[in-house]
Amino acid sequence: MSELIEISVAIHNQWEITEKFLVSLFKSIEKYRNVVVNIIDNASTDKTVVELEKFSKKCTIFYNDNNMGFAFAHNMIIRKSFATLSCILHNDIILVDGWLEKIVNKILSNPKIGIVSVVNDVYGNFNKGYEINQEGNYEPIDIDNEEKKIDFVN
């Protein structure tokens, strides 16, 4: 993967969840040199602000004075981005090795694909995805079509 990839995650409180997410994120991307991580703290009032400093050498942290919400926080980052690809994540997930490469490979496999949304069940089975068609509308990916399937099961 040679494209510059920017990963962003907006957070508000919930440090225990966020810490587990960040540990899994940085472990899963440590082999990549072309990935930038941005964390947007939406005015956390718990220990999140202090604890985030543990990760400050691995990412850029933005602090909002008010909770501006998920969409606003990510739009703020994407507007400033010079990356080829943007990846928006939630902090309530645990990432496994190989997740980023599979998503990047899928989105680069077809110039018609503008967005990939992956939802896994508790067993790691792929069950949902979308691509943007030529009219700019979201179109479900046929999970039975092996050409379009993203398999997250190792």
Side-chain angles (χ1 to χ4, degrees), residues 85-89 99-100 102-110 112-119 126 128-132 138-139 141 148-150 152:
L85 300 170
S86 293
C87 178
I88 297 171
L89 297 175
W99 71 271
L100 182 59
K102 289 178 182 182
I103 290 174
V104 169
N105 288 342
K106 174 47 72 178
I107 204 162
L108 295 177
S109 71
N110 184 336
K112 292 181 183 179
I113 298 175
I115 187 170
V116 174
S117 174
V118 179
V119 179
F126 172 84
K128 189 175 184 182
Y130 298 93
E131 65 185 22
I132 298 178
Y138 292 101
E139 190 173 287
I141 292 175
K148 292 186 177 181
K149 185 175 181 181
I150 301 174
F152 280 82

Side-chain angles (χ1 to χ4, degrees), residues 4-153:
L4 178 60
I5 301 163
E6 186 168 66
I7 296 173
S8 63
V9 58
I11 59 174
H12 177 74
N13 293 328
Q14 300 181 324
W15 174 247
E16 290 74 20
I17 292 170
T18 300
E19 183 178 35
K20 289 175 186 172
F21 161 77
L22 290 174
V23 168
S24 75
L25 169 63
F26 290 115
K27 183 175 186 234
S28 71
I29 65 170
E30 64 189 356
K31 65 182 176 182
Y32 304 113
R33 298 289 171 240
N34 58 329
V35 177
V36 175
V37 176
N38 294 304
I39 300 171
I40 309 100
D41 179 74
N42 271 327
S44 289
T45 56
D46 65 356
K47 61 184 177 179
T48 298
V49 173
V50 173
E51 295 293 333
L52 274 177
E53 289 304 313
K54 294 180 195 175
F55 297 93
S56 64
K57 292 184 179 173
K58 297 180 178 184
C59 62
T60 303
I61 304 170
F62 298 88
Y63 297 96
N64 287 335
D65 293 332
N66 299 303
N67 186 349
M68 305 303 291
F70 181 86
F72 180 89
H74 286 287
N75 285 332
M76 178 183 83
I77 296 302
I78 291 170
R79 281 189 199 109
K80 296 178 181 184
S81 177
F82 292 100
T84 307
L85 300 170
S86 293
C87 178
I88 297 171
L89 297 175
H90 290 269
N91 66 327
D92 61 351
I93 60 175
I94 301 297
L95 298 161
V96 296
D97 191 41
W99 71 271
L100 182 59
E101 191 168 1
K102 289 178 182 182
I103 290 174
V104 169
N105 288 342
K106 174 47 72 178
I107 204 162
L108 295 177
S109 71
N110 184 336
K112 292 181 183 179
I113 298 175
I115 187 170
V116 174
S117 174
V118 179
V119 179
N120 292 357
D121 65 18
V122 295
Y123 304 105
N125 296 312
F126 172 84
N127 61 22
K128 189 175 184 182
Y130 298 93
E131 65 185 22
I132 298 178
N133 64 23
Q134 290 179 324
E135 292 79 37
N137 299 316
Y138 292 101
E139 190 173 287
I141 292 175
D142 178 3
I143 63 172
D144 294 324
N145 181 343
E146 287 301 315
E147 184 177 297
K148 292 186 177 181
K149 185 175 181 181
I150 301 174
D151 184 7
F152 280 82
V153 179

